[in-house]
Coordinates of all heavy atoms in Angstrom, one line a residue:
M1 N 0.8 -1.2 0.0 CA 0.0 0.1 0.0 C 0.9 1.2 0.0 O 1.9 1.3 0.6 CB -1.0 0.0 1.2 CG -2.0 1.1 1.3 SD -3.1 0.9 2.6 CE -4.0 -0.4 2.1
K2 N 0.5 2.2 -0.7 CA 1.3 3.5 -0.9 C 1.2 4.2 0.5 O 0.2 4.2 1.2 CB 0.7 4.3 -2.0 CG 0.9 3.6 -3.3 CD 0.4 4.4 -4.5 CE 0.4 3.6 -5.7 NZ -0.4 4.1 -6.7
I3 N 2.3 5.0 0.7 CA 2.4 5.8 1.9 C 1.2 6.8 2.0 O 0.6 7.0 3.0 CB 3.8 6.6 2.0 CG1 4.8 5.6 1.8 CG2 3.8 7.6 3.2 CD1 5.9 5.5 2.8
E4 N 0.8 7.4 0.9 CA -0.2 8.4 0.9 C -1.6 7.7 1.4 O -2.4 8.2 2.1 CB -0.6 9.1 -0.5 CG 0.7 9.8 -1.0 CD 1.7 8.9 -1.6 OE1 1.4 7.9 -2.2 OE2 2.9 9.4 -1.6
D5 N -1.8 6.5 0.9 CA -3.0 5.7 1.3 C -3.0 5.4 2.7 O -4.1 5.4 3.5 CB -3.1 4.4 0.4 CG -3.4 4.7 -1.0 OD1 -3.9 5.8 -1.3 OD2 -3.1 4.0 -1.9
L6 N -1.8 5.0 3.2 CA -1.6 4.7 4.7 C -1.9 5.9 5.6 O -2.6 5.8 6.6 CB -0.3 4.1 4.9 CG 0.1 2.7 4.5 CD1 1.6 2.4 4.7 CD2 -0.8 1.7 5.1
K7 N -1.5 7.1 5.1 CA -1.8 8.2 5.8 C -3.3 8.5 5.9 O -3.8 8.9 7.0 CB -1.0 9.4 5.3 CG 0.4 9.5 5.6 CD 1.1 10.6 4.9 CE 2.6 10.6 5.1 NZ 3.4 11.6 4.4
K8 N -3.9 8.4 4.9 CA -5.4 8.6 4.7 C -6.1 7.6 5.7 O -7.0 8.0 6.4 CB -5.9 8.4 3.4 CG -5.6 9.6 2.5 CD -6.1 9.3 1.0 CE -5.6 10.3 0.0 NZ -6.0 10.0 -1.3
R9 N -5.7 6.3 5.7 CA -6.2 5.3 6.5 C -6.1 5.5 8.0 O -6.9 5.1 8.8 CB -5.7 3.9 6.1 CG -6.1 3.5 4.7 CD -7.1 2.4 4.7 NE -7.6 2.2 3.4 CZ -7.7 1.0 2.9 NH1 -7.4 0.0 3.5 NH2 -8.2 1.0 1.7
S10 N -5.0 6.2 8.3 CA -4.8 6.5 9.9 C -5.4 7.6 10.3 O -5.4 7.8 11.6 CB -3.2 6.6 10.1 OG -2.8 7.7 9.4
D11 N -6.1 8.4 9.4 CA -6.9 9.6 10.0 C -8.1 9.2 10.7 O -9.1 8.5 10.2 CB -7.3 10.5 8.7 CG -8.1 11.7 9.0 OD1 -8.2 11.9 10.3 OD2 -8.6 12.3 8.1
K12 N -8.1 9.5 11.9 CA -9.2 9.1 12.8 C -10.6 9.7 12.5 O -11.7 9.3 12.8 CB -8.9 9.3 14.3 CG -7.7 8.8 14.8 CD -8.0 7.3 15.2 CE -6.8 6.7 15.8 NZ -6.4 5.4 15.5
N13 N -10.6 10.9 11.7 CA -11.7 11.6 11.4 C -12.3 11.4 10.0 O -13.0 12.1 9.5 CB -11.4 13.2 11.5 CG -11.1 13.5 13.0 OD1 -11.7 13.0 13.9 ND2 -10.0 14.3 13.2
R14 N -11.8 10.3 9.3 CA -12.2 10.0 8.0 C -13.8 9.6 8.1 O -14.2 9.1 9.2 CB -11.3 9.1 7.3 CG -11.4 7.7 7.8 CD -10.4 6.9 7.0 NE -10.7 5.5 7.1 CZ -9.9 4.6 7.5 NH1 -8.7 4.9 8.1 NH2 -10.3 3.4 7.7
P15 N -14.5 9.8 7.0 CA -15.9 9.5 7.0 C -16.2 8.1 7.2 O -15.4 7.2 6.8 CB -16.4 9.9 5.7 CG -15.3 10.7 5.0 CD -14.1 10.4 5.7
M16 N -17.2 7.8 8.0 CA -17.7 6.4 8.4 C -19.0 6.3 7.8 O -19.8 7.1 7.6 CB -17.6 6.3 9.9 CG -16.3 6.5 10.5 SD -15.1 5.1 10.4 CE -15.7 4.2 11.8
T17 N -19.4 5.0 7.6 CA -20.8 4.6 7.3 C -21.3 3.5 8.2 O -20.4 2.7 8.6 CB -20.9 4.2 5.8 OG1 -22.2 4.0 5.4 CG2 -20.1 3.0 5.5
T18 N -22.5 3.3 8.4 CA -23.0 2.2 9.1 C -23.2 0.9 8.3 O -23.7 1.1 7.2 CB -24.3 2.6 9.8 OG1 -24.1 3.7 10.7 CG2 -24.8 1.5 10.7
V19 N -22.8 -0.2 8.8 CA -23.0 -1.4 8.1 C -23.7 -2.4 9.1 O -23.4 -2.5 10.2 CB -21.6 -2.0 7.7 CG1 -21.8 -3.4 7.1 CG2 -20.8 -1.2 6.8
T20 N -24.7 -3.1 8.6 CA -25.3 -4.1 9.5 C -25.0 -5.5 9.0 O -25.0 -5.8 7.7 CB -26.9 -3.9 9.3 OG1 -27.2 -2.7 9.6 CG2 -27.5 -5.0 10.1
I21 N -24.5 -6.4 9.9 CA -24.1 -7.6 9.6 C -24.6 -8.7 10.6 O -24.7 -8.4 11.8 CB -22.6 -7.7 9.5 CG1 -22.1 -9.1 9.0 CG2 -21.9 -7.3 10.8 CD1 -20.6 -9.2 8.8
R22 N -25.2 -9.8 10.1 CA -25.7 -10.8 11.0 C -24.5 -11.7 11.4 O -23.9 -12.3 10.5 CB -26.8 -11.5 10.4 CG -28.0 -10.6 10.2 CD -29.1 -11.4 9.4 NE -29.6 -12.6 10.1 CZ -30.4 -12.7 11.1 NH1 -30.9 -11.6 11.7 NH2 -30.7 -13.9 11.6
M23 N -24.4 -11.9 12.6 CA -23.3 -12.9 13.2 C -23.9 -13.7 14.2 O -24.8 -13.4 14.9 CB -22.1 -12.1 13.6 CG -21.4 -11.3 12.6 SD -20.0 -10.3 13.3 CE -18.8 -11.7 13.4
P24 N -23.3 -15.0 14.4 CA -23.8 -15.8 15.4 C -23.6 -15.1 16.8 O -22.5 -14.5 17.2 CB -22.9 -17.1 15.3 CG -22.5 -17.0 13.9 CD -22.4 -15.7 13.5
E25 N -24.5 -15.4 17.8 CA -24.4 -14.8 19.0 C -23.2 -15.3 19.8 O -22.6 -14.4 20.6 CB -25.6 -15.2 19.9 CG -26.8 -14.5 19.5 CD -28.1 -14.8 20.2 OE1 -28.0 -15.8 21.1 OE2 -29.2 -14.4 19.9
D26 N -22.7 -16.5 19.7 CA -21.4 -17.0 20.4 C -20.2 -16.3 19.8 O -19.3 -16.1 20.6 CB -21.4 -18.5 20.3 CG -21.3 -19.1 18.9 OD1 -22.0 -18.5 18.0 OD2 -20.4 -20.0 18.6
V27 N -20.3 -15.9 18.5 CA -19.0 -15.3 18.0 C -19.0 -13.8 18.7 O -17.9 -13.3 19.0 CB -19.2 -15.1 16.4 CG1 -18.1 -14.2 15.9 CG2 -19.1 -16.6 15.8
I28 N -20.2 -13.2 18.8 CA -20.2 -11.8 19.4 C -19.7 -11.9 20.8 O -18.9 -11.0 21.3 CB -21.7 -11.2 19.3 CG1 -22.1 -10.9 17.9 CG2 -21.7 -9.9 20.1 CD1 -21.2 -10.1 17.1
E29 N -20.1 -12.9 21.6 CA -19.7 -13.1 22.9 C -18.3 -13.4 23.0 O -17.5 -12.7 23.9 CB -20.5 -14.3 23.7 CG -22.0 -14.0 23.8 CD -22.2 -12.7 24.5 OE1 -21.5 -12.5 25.6 OE2 -23.1 -12.0 24.2
D30 N -17.7 -14.1 22.0 CA -16.1 -14.3 22.0 C -15.5 -12.9 21.7 O -14.5 -12.6 22.3 CB -15.9 -15.4 21.0 CG -16.2 -16.8 21.5 OD1 -16.4 -17.0 22.6 OD2 -16.2 -17.6 20.5
L31 N -16.0 -12.2 20.8 CA -15.5 -11.0 20.5 C -15.5 -10.0 21.7 O -14.5 -9.3 22.0 CB -16.2 -10.3 19.2 CG -15.9 -10.9 17.9 CD1 -16.9 -10.4 17.0 CD2 -14.5 -10.6 17.4
K32 N -16.6 -10.0 22.4 CA -16.7 -9.2 23.6 C -15.7 -9.6 24.7 O -15.1 -8.6 25.3 CB -18.1 -9.2 24.3 CG -19.1 -8.5 23.4 CD -20.5 -8.7 24.0 CE -21.6 -7.9 23.2 NZ -22.9 -8.2 23.9
R33 N -15.4 -10.8 24.8 CA -14.4 -11.3 25.8 C -12.9 -10.9 25.4 O -12.1 -10.6 26.2 CB -14.4 -12.8 25.9 CG -15.5 -13.4 26.8 CD -15.4 -14.8 27.0 NE -15.0 -15.5 25.8 CZ -14.3 -16.6 25.8 NH1 -13.8 -17.1 26.9 NH2 -13.9 -17.1 24.7
L34 N -12.7 -11.0 24.0 CA -11.4 -10.8 23.5 C -11.0 -9.2 23.4 O -9.9 -8.9 23.5 CB -11.2 -11.3 22.1 CG -11.1 -12.9 22.1 CD1 -11.1 -13.4 20.6 CD2 -9.9 -13.3 22.9
A35 N -12.1 -8.4 23.2 CA -11.8 -7.0 22.9 C -10.8 -6.4 24.0 O -9.8 -5.7 23.6 CB -13.2 -6.3 22.7
P36 N -11.3 -6.5 25.3 CA -10.4 -5.8 26.2 C -9.0 -6.4 26.3 O -7.9 -5.6 26.7 CB -11.1 -6.0 27.6 CG -12.3 -6.8 27.3 CD -12.4 -7.1 25.8
L37 N -8.9 -7.6 26.0 CA -7.5 -8.3 26.1 C -6.6 -7.7 24.9 O -5.4 -7.8 25.0 CB -7.6 -9.8 25.9 CG -8.5 -10.5 27.0 CD1 -8.6 -12.0 26.7 CD2 -7.8 -10.4 28.3
H38 N -7.2 -7.2 23.9 CA -6.5 -6.7 22.8 C -6.4 -5.1 22.9 O -6.0 -4.5 22.0 CB -7.0 -7.1 21.5 CG -6.8 -8.5 21.1 ND1 -5.6 -9.0 20.8 CD2 -7.6 -9.5 21.1 CE1 -5.6 -10.3 20.6 NE2 -6.9 -10.6 20.7
G39 N -7.0 -4.6 24.0 CA -6.9 -3.1 24.2 C -8.1 -2.3 23.6 O -7.9 -1.1 23.3
F40 N -9.1 -3.0 23.2 CA -10.2 -2.3 22.6 C -11.4 -2.0 23.6 O -11.6 -2.8 24.5 CB -10.8 -3.1 21.4 CG -9.8 -3.2 20.3 CD1 -9.0 -4.3 20.0 CD2 -9.7 -2.2 19.3 CE1 -8.1 -4.4 19.0 CE2 -8.9 -2.3 18.2 CZ -8.2 -3.4 18.1
S41 N -12.1 -1.0 23.3 CA -13.1 -0.6 24.4 C -14.4 -1.5 24.2 O -15.2 -1.5 24.9 CB -13.5 0.9 24.1 OG -13.9 1.1 22.8
G42 N -14.5 -2.1 22.9 CA -15.7 -3.0 22.7 C -15.4 -3.9 21.5 O -14.3 -3.9 20.9
Y43 N -16.4 -4.6 21.2 CA -16.2 -5.7 20.2 C -16.2 -5.0 18.8 O -15.6 -5.6 17.9 CB -17.2 -6.8 20.3 CG -18.6 -6.5 20.0 CD1 -19.2 -6.7 18.6 CD2 -19.6 -5.9 20.8 CE1 -20.4 -6.4 18.3 CE2 -20.8 -5.6 20.4 CZ -21.2 -5.8 19.2 OH -22.5 -5.4 18.8
Q44 N -16.9 -4.0 18.6 CA -17.0 -3.3 17.2 C -15.6 -2.9 16.7 O -15.2 -3.1 15.6 CB -18.1 -2.3 17.1 CG -19.5 -2.9 17.3 CD -20.6 -2.0 17.3 OE1 -20.4 -0.7 17.4 NE2 -21.8 -2.4 17.0
P45 N -14.9 -2.1 17.7 CA -13.6 -1.7 17.2 C -12.7 -3.0 16.9 O -11.9 -2.9 16.0 CB -13.0 -1.0 18.4 CG -14.2 -0.4 19.1 CD -15.2 -1.5 18.9
L46 N -12.9 -4.0 17.6 CA -12.1 -5.3 17.4 C -12.5 -5.8 16.0 O -11.6 -6.2 15.2 CB -12.3 -6.3 18.5 CG -11.6 -7.6 18.3 CD1 -10.0 -7.4 18.2 CD2 -12.0 -8.6 19.4
I47 N -13.7 -5.8 15.8 CA -14.1 -6.3 14.3 C -13.4 -5.4 13.3 O -13.0 -6.0 12.3 CB -15.7 -6.3 14.2 CG1 -16.3 -7.4 15.1 CG2 -16.1 -6.6 12.8 CD1 -17.8 -7.4 15.1
R48 N -13.6 -4.1 13.5 CA -13.0 -3.2 12.4 C -11.5 -3.6 12.3 O -10.9 -3.5 11.2 CB -13.2 -1.8 12.8 CG -14.5 -1.3 12.6 CD -14.7 0.2 12.6 NE -14.5 0.7 14.0 CZ -15.3 0.9 14.9 NH1 -16.6 0.6 14.7 NH2 -15.0 1.4 16.1
A49 N -10.8 -3.8 13.4 CA -9.4 -4.1 13.4 C -9.1 -5.5 12.6 O -8.2 -5.5 11.8 CB -8.8 -4.2 14.8
Y50 N -9.9 -6.4 12.9 CA -9.8 -7.7 12.0 C -10.1 -7.5 10.7 O -9.3 -8.0 9.9 CB -10.8 -8.8 12.7 CG -10.4 -9.3 13.9 CD1 -11.4 -9.8 14.9 CD2 -9.1 -9.6 14.3 CE1 -11.0 -10.5 16.0 CE2 -8.8 -10.2 15.5 CZ -9.7 -10.6 16.4 OH -9.4 -11.2 17.6
I51 N -11.0 -6.7 10.3 CA -11.3 -6.5 8.9 C -10.3 -5.7 8.2 O -9.8 -6.0 7.1 CB -12.6 -5.7 8.7 CG1 -13.9 -6.7 9.1 CG2 -12.9 -5.3 7.2 CD1 -15.2 -6.0 9.2
G52 N -9.8 -4.7 9.0 CA -8.6 -3.9 8.3 C -7.4 -4.7 8.2 O -6.7 -4.5 7.1
Q53 N -7.1 -5.7 9.1 CA -5.9 -6.5 9.0 C -6.0 -7.5 7.7 O -5.1 -7.5 7.0 CB -5.8 -7.2 10.3 CG -4.5 -8.2 10.3 CD -4.5 -8.9 11.7 OE1 -5.5 -9.4 12.2 NE2 -3.3 -9.0 12.3
G54 N -7.2 -8.0 7.6 CA -7.3 -8.9 6.4 C -7.4 -8.1 5.1 O -6.7 -8.5 4.1
L55 N -7.9 -6.9 5.2 CA -7.9 -6.1 3.9 C -6.5 -5.7 3.6 O -6.2 -5.8 2.4 CB -8.9 -4.8 4.3 CG -8.9 -3.8 3.1 CD1 -9.6 -4.5 1.8 CD2 -9.7 -2.7 3.5
R56 N -5.7 -5.2 4.6 CA -4.3 -4.9 4.2 C -3.6 -6.0 3.6 O -2.8 -6.0 2.7 CB -3.7 -4.3 5.4 CG -4.0 -2.9 5.8 CD -3.2 -2.4 6.9 NE -3.3 -3.0 8.1 CZ -4.3 -2.9 9.0 NH1 -5.2 -2.2 8.8 NH2 -4.3 -3.7 10.1
T57 N -3.8 -7.2 4.2 CA -3.1 -8.5 3.7 C -3.5 -8.6 2.2 O -2.6 -8.9 1.4 CB -3.5 -9.6 4.5 OG1 -3.0 -9.5 5.9 CG2 -2.8 -10.9 4.1
D58 N -4.7 -8.7 1.9 CA -5.2 -8.9 0.6 C -4.7 -7.8 -0.4 O -4.4 -8.1 -1.5 CB -6.7 -9.0 0.6 CG -7.3 -10.4 1.0 OD1 -6.4 -11.2 1.3 OD2 -8.5 -10.5 1.5
L59 N -4.8 -6.6 0.0 CA -4.3 -5.4 -0.9 C -2.8 -5.7 -1.1 O -2.4 -5.4 -2.4 CB -4.6 -4.1 -0.3 CG -6.0 -3.7 -0.2 CD1 -6.2 -2.4 0.6 CD2 -6.6 -3.5 -1.6
E60 N -2.0 -5.9 -0.1 CA -0.7 -6.2 -0.4 C -0.3 -7.4 -1.3 O 0.5 -7.3 -2.2 CB 0.2 -6.5 1.0 CG 0.2 -5.3 1.8 CD 0.8 -5.7 3.2 OE1 1.3 -6.7 3.5 OE2 0.7 -4.7 4.1
R61 N -1.2 -8.4 -1.2 CA -1.1 -9.5 -2.0 C -1.4 -9.1 -3.5 O -0.7 -9.4 -4.5 CB -2.0 -10.7 -1.5 CG -1.7 -11.9 -2.4 CD -2.6 -13.1 -1.8 NE -2.3 -13.4 -0.5 CZ -3.3 -13.4 0.5 NH1 -4.5 -13.2 0.2 NH2 -2.9 -13.6 1.7
L62 N -2.5 -8.4 -3.7 CA -2.9 -7.9 -4.9 C -1.9 -7.0 -5.6 O -1.6 -7.2 -6.8 CB -4.2 -7.2 -4.8 CG -4.8 -6.6 -6.1 CD1 -5.2 -7.6 -7.1 CD2 -6.0 -5.7 -5.8
E63 N -1.3 -6.1 -4.8 CA -0.3 -5.2 -5.3 C 0.9 -5.9 -5.7 O 1.7 -5.8 -6.7 CB -0.1 -4.0 -4.4 CG -1.2 -3.1 -4.3 CD -1.1 -2.0 -3.2 OE1 -0.1 -2.0 -2.5 OE2 -2.0 -1.2 -3.1
G64 N 1.3 -6.9 -4.8 CA 2.5 -7.8 -5.1 C 2.3 -8.6 -6.3 O 3.3 -8.7 -7.2
D65 N 1.1 -9.1 -6.6 CA 0.9 -9.8 -7.7 C 1.1 -9.0 -9.0 O 1.6 -9.4 -10.0 CB -0.5 -10.4 -7.8 CG -0.7 -11.5 -6.8 OD1 0.3 -12.1 -6.3 OD2 -1.8 -12.0 -6.5
S66 N 0.5 -7.7 -8.9 CA 0.8 -6.8 -10.1 C 2.2 -6.5 -10.3 O 2.7 -6.4 -11.4 CB 0.0 -5.4 -9.8 OG -1.4 -5.7 -9.7
V67 N 2.9 -6.3 -9.2 CA 4.4 -6.0 -9.4 C 5.2 -7.2 -10.0 O 5.9 -7.1 -11.0 CB 5.1 -5.7 -8.0 CG1 6.6 -5.6 -8.1 CG2 4.5 -4.2 -7.6
R68 N 4.8 -8.4 -9.5 CA 5.4 -9.7 -10.1 C 5.1 -9.7 -11.6 O 6.0 -10.1 -12.4 CB 4.9 -10.9 -9.4 CG 5.7 -11.1 -8.1 CD 5.4 -12.4 -7.4 NE 4.1 -12.6 -6.9 CZ 3.6 -12.0 -5.8 NH1 4.6 -11.4 -5.0 NH2 2.5 -12.2 -5.3
A69 N 3.8 -9.5 -12.0 CA 3.3 -9.6 -13.4 C 4.2 -8.6 -14.2 O 4.5 -8.8 -15.3 CB 1.8 -9.3 -13.5
L70 N 4.3 -7.3 -13.6 CA 5.1 -6.4 -14.4 C 6.6 -6.8 -14.6 O 7.1 -6.7 -15.7 CB 5.1 -5.0 -13.6 CG 5.9 -3.9 -14.2 CD1 5.5 -3.5 -15.6 CD2 5.9 -2.6 -13.3
I71 N 7.2 -7.3 -13.5 CA 8.5 -7.8 -13.6 C 8.6 -8.8 -14.7 O 9.6 -8.8 -15.5 CB 9.1 -8.2 -12.3 CG1 9.2 -7.0 -11.4 CG2 10.4 -9.0 -12.4 CD1 9.5 -7.5 -9.8
E72 N 7.8 -9.8 -14.7 CA 7.8 -10.9 -15.7 C 7.6 -10.3 -17.1 O 8.3 -10.8 -18.0 CB 6.7 -11.9 -15.5 CG 7.0 -12.8 -14.1 CD 8.5 -13.4 -14.1 OE1 8.9 -13.9 -15.2 OE2 9.1 -13.2 -13.1
S73 N 6.8 -9.3 -17.4 CA 6.6 -8.7 -18.6 C 7.9 -8.0 -19.0 O 8.3 -8.1 -20.1 CB 5.4 -7.7 -18.5 OG 5.2 -7.1 -19.8
L74 N 8.4 -7.3 -18.1 CA 9.7 -6.5 -18.5 C 10.8 -7.4 -18.9 O 11.5 -7.3 -19.8 CB 10.2 -5.7 -17.3 CG 9.4 -4.5 -16.9 CD1 9.8 -3.8 -15.6 CD2 9.4 -3.5 -18.0
K75 N 10.9 -8.6 -18.2 CA 11.9 -9.7 -18.6 C 11.7 -10.3 -20.0 O 12.6 -10.4 -20.7 CB 11.9 -10.8 -17.5 CG 12.5 -10.4 -16.2 CD 12.5 -11.5 -15.3 CE 13.2 -11.2 -13.9 NZ 13.1 -12.3 -13.0
R76 N 10.4 -10.5 -20.2 CA 10.0 -10.9 -21.6 C 10.4 -9.9 -22.7 O 10.6 -10.4 -23.8 CB 8.5 -11.3 -21.6 CG 8.1 -12.6 -21.0 CD 6.7 -13.0 -21.2 NE 5.7 -12.1 -20.9 CZ 5.1 -12.0 -19.8 NH1 5.5 -12.6 -18.8 NH2 4.2 -11.0 -19.6
H77 N 10.3 -8.7 -22.3 CA 10.7 -7.6 -23.3 C 12.2 -7.2 -23.3 O 12.6 -6.4 -23.9 CB 9.9 -6.4 -23.0 CG 8.4 -6.5 -23.4 ND1 7.4 -7.0 -22.6 CD2 7.8 -6.2 -24.5 CE1 6.3 -7.0 -23.3 NE2 6.5 -6.5 -24.5
G78 N 12.9 -8.1 -22.6 CA 14.4 -7.9 -22.7 C 15.1 -7.1 -21.7 O 16.2 -6.8 -21.8
V79 N 14.3 -6.6 -20.7 CA 14.9 -5.7 -19.6 C 15.6 -6.7 -18.7 O 15.1 -7.7 -18.3 CB 13.9 -5.0 -18.9 CG1 14.4 -4.2 -17.8 CG2 13.1 -4.1 -19.8
S80 N 16.9 -6.4 -18.4 CA 17.7 -7.2 -17.7 C 17.2 -7.3 -16.1 O 16.7 -6.3 -15.7 CB 19.2 -6.8 -17.8 OG 19.4 -5.6 -17.0
S81 N 17.6 -8.4 -15.5 CA 17.3 -8.5 -14.0 C 17.9 -7.4 -13.2 O 17.5 -6.8 -12.2 CB 17.6 -9.9 -13.5 OG 16.8 -10.8 -14.0
E82 N 19.2 -7.1 -13.7 CA 20.0 -6.1 -13.0 C 19.2 -4.7 -13.1 O 19.1 -4.0 -12.1 CB 21.3 -5.9 -13.6 CG 22.2 -4.9 -13.0 CD 23.5 -4.7 -13.6 OE1 24.1 -5.8 -14.1 OE2 24.2 -3.6 -13.7
V83 N 18.7 -4.3 -14.2 CA 18.0 -3.0 -14.3 C 16.7 -3.1 -13.5 O 16.4 -2.0 -12.8 CB 17.7 -2.7 -15.8 CG1 16.8 -1.5 -15.9 CG2 19.0 -2.5 -16.6
I84 N 16.1 -4.1 -13.5 CA 14.8 -4.3 -12.7 C 15.0 -4.2 -11.4 O 14.3 -3.4 -10.6 CB 14.1 -5.6 -13.0 CG1 13.6 -5.6 -14.5 CG2 12.9 -5.9 -12.2 CD1 13.1 -7.0 -15.0
N85 N 16.1 -4.9 -10.8 CA 16.4 -4.8 -9.3 C 16.9 -3.4 -8.9 O 16.5 -2.9 -7.9 CB 17.5 -5.9 -9.1 CG 17.0 -7.2 -9.1 OD1 15.9 -7.5 -8.9 ND2 17.9 -8.2 -9.4
Q86 N 17.6 -2.7 -9.9 CA 18.0 -1.3 -9.5 C 16.7 -0.5 -9.4 O 16.6 0.3 -8.4 CB 19.0 -0.8 -10.6 CG 19.4 0.6 -10.4 CD 20.3 1.0 -11.5 OE1 20.7 0.4 -12.4 NE2 20.8 2.3 -11.3
A87 N 15.8 -0.6 -10.4 CA 14.5 0.2 -10.3 C 13.7 -0.2 -9.0 O 13.2 0.7 -8.3 CB 13.7 -0.1 -11.5
L88 N 13.7 -1.4 -8.6 CA 13.0 -1.8 -7.5 C 13.6 -1.2 -6.1 O 13.0 -0.8 -5.3 CB 12.8 -3.3 -7.3 CG 11.9 -4.0 -8.3 CD1 12.2 -5.5 -8.2 CD2 10.5 -3.7 -8.0
R89 N 15.0 -1.1 -6.1 CA 15.7 -0.5 -5.0 C 15.3 1.0 -4.9 O 15.0 1.5 -3.8 CB 17.1 -0.8 -5.1 CG 17.6 -2.2 -4.7 CD 19.0 -2.3 -4.5 NE 19.8 -2.0 -5.8 CZ 20.0 -3.0 -6.8 NH1 19.6 -4.1 -6.6 NH2 20.7 -2.6 -7.9
E90 N 15.4 1.6 -6.1 CA 15.0 3.0 -6.1 C 13.7 3.3 -5.6 O 13.4 4.3 -4.8 CB 15.2 3.6 -7.5 CG 16.6 3.7 -8.1 CD 16.8 4.1 -9.5 OE1 15.7 4.5 -10.1 OE2 17.8 4.0 -10.0
V91 N 12.7 2.5 -6.1 CA 11.3 2.8 -5.6 C 11.2 2.5 -4.0 O 10.4 3.2 -3.4 CB 10.4 1.7 -6.4 CG1 9.0 1.9 -5.8 CG2 10.3 2.3 -7.9
A92 N 11.8 1.5 -3.6 CA 11.8 1.2 -2.3 C 12.3 2.3 -1.3 O 11.9 2.4 -0.1 CB 12.6 -0.2 -1.9
H93 N 13.2 3.0 -1.8 CA 13.9 4.1 -0.9 C 13.2 5.4 -1.0 O 13.5 6.4 -0.4 CB 15.3 4.3 -1.4 CG 16.3 3.2 -1.0 ND1 16.4 2.7 0.3 CD2 16.9 2.2 -1.7 CE1 17.2 1.6 0.4 NE2 17.5 1.4 -0.9
K94 N 12.0 5.5 -1.7 CA 11.2 6.7 -1.9 C 10.3 6.8 -0.7 O 9.8 6.0 -0.2 CB 10.6 6.9 -3.2 CG 11.6 7.1 -4.3 CD 10.9 7.4 -5.6 CE 12.0 7.8 -6.7 NZ 11.4 8.1 -8.0

């Protein structure tokens, strides 16, 4: 995920919307028990944290797949691994 996107995601005042989801009662009870152990004031912030964690993992995987596809395409077009690695190092340091 890009740094600009991460900064936007860390803004506590970004717009929110209400979502209704049906979940088993026992799952809610487990979330209520776990929330304070993870430092959350209630189970809803814990659910948001779990969703955010899974979302970041999937976005990183998606972006990583795109980068891998680009690298393979560049190799097929004759760009050397040395040039590709140099470009990746430059991007990583920005």
Side-chain angles (χ1 to χ4, degrees):
M1 184 174 291
K2 297 177 183 169
I3 302 233
E4 299 82 28
D5 294 336
L6 287 173
K7 286 180 184 177
K8 288 179 190 173
R9 295 252 170 131
S10 65
D11 180 7
K12 302 277 186 220
N13 297 318
R14 68 182 202 245
M16 302 280 273
T17 188
T18 300
V19 176
T20 302
I21 182 170
R22 295 176 53 80
M23 297 182 72
E25 290 178 1
D26 61 317
V27 171
I28 297 299
E29 292 305 315
D30 289 341
L31 289 165
K32 286 179 181 178
R33 281 186 324 146
L34 289 173
L37 299 175
H38 289 289
F40 292 97
S41 59
Y43 72 95
Q44 290 178 347
L46 179 59
I47 290 172
R48 284 193 296 271
Y50 284 150
I51 291 171
Q53 184 178 40
L55 179 60
R56 283 188 300 279
T57 299
D58 286 348
L59 288 172
E60 288 173 10
R61 187 178 304 126
L62 176 65
E63 290 172 358
D65 290 346
S66 297
V67 170
R68 278 190 289 282
L70 174 61
I71 290 169
E72 292 306 314
S73 177
L74 290 170
K75 287 180 180 179
R76 284 192 303 275
H77 285 86
V79 178
S80 71
S81 293
E82 181 180 325
V83 171
I84 293 170
N85 289 332
Q86 181 180 0
L88 289 170
R89 283 191 299 274
E90 288 175 9
V91 170
H93 292 296
K94 288 187 177 184

